Amino acid sequence: MNAETFPVTLFHNPACGTSRNALAMVRAAGYAPDIVLYLETGWRRDQLAKLLDRMGAAPSQILRTKGTPAEAMGLLAPNVTEAAIFEAMLVEPILVNRPIVVTPLGVILARPSEAVQTVLDCPIGIFTKEDGEVVEIRP
């Protein structure tokens, strides 16, 4: 696939199996994605705001709680605001769940990893995840 005509960007954490599977699925579909290692680069305010807007999501909807300081930071309290969660994500990039995939067809949090198919214009077909699970992905 031509990156100029159908660019794919994946906000990726290589330590995450779901993120690795989504990346492998994107590549299996024939794309050479732009990979953003967001734990290293962090988030820019405008970048994260634009992703959330394009996803139609609130910060709480992409908040990662497992293996993060979310609870210690008070982000799981019932009265926490979306603004507070957003600000915390800028400080602690690990608070953003992954992978986030951006294509001309949309922006999604690819959980489960096979959800990536919803924003690709080329079917993947049958794919074996790294844990051995076989999924059939249809357009």
Side-chain angles (χ1 to χ4, degrees), residues 34-53:
D34 179 26
I35 299 168
V36 178
L37 301 175
Y38 70 95
L39 293 178
E40 295 176 15
T41 62
W43 295 103
R44 293 185 327 271
R45 179 178 300 280
D46 62 325
Q47 174 191 49
L48 186 56
K50 183 177 180 180
L51 288 172
L52 285 163
D53 182 57

Side-chain angles (χ1 to χ4, degrees), residues 63-138:
L63 176 65
R64 181 160 181 86
T65 57
K66 181 180 174 187
T68 75
E71 186 172 9
M73 294 175 75
L75 300 176
L76 305 183
N79 62 343
V80 69
T81 66
E82 295 294 338
I85 295 171
F86 182 83
E87 293 300 322
M89 289 172 164
L90 296 175
V91 174
E92 295 284 349
I94 192 73
L95 293 170
V96 177
N97 215 339
R98 73 276 178 162
I100 294 175
V101 182
V102 180
T103 78
L105 296 179
V107 179
I108 63 158
L109 174 62
R111 297 192 76 83
S113 54
E114 54 267 27
V116 72
Q117 181 64 42
T118 64
V119 293
L120 299 178
D121 69 349
C122 182
I124 296 170
I126 295 177
F127 183 84
T128 304
K129 294 183 179 183
E130 62 182 45
D131 67 0
E133 179 186 358
V134 177
V135 293
E136 185 173 354
I137 304 170
R138 300 175 192 202

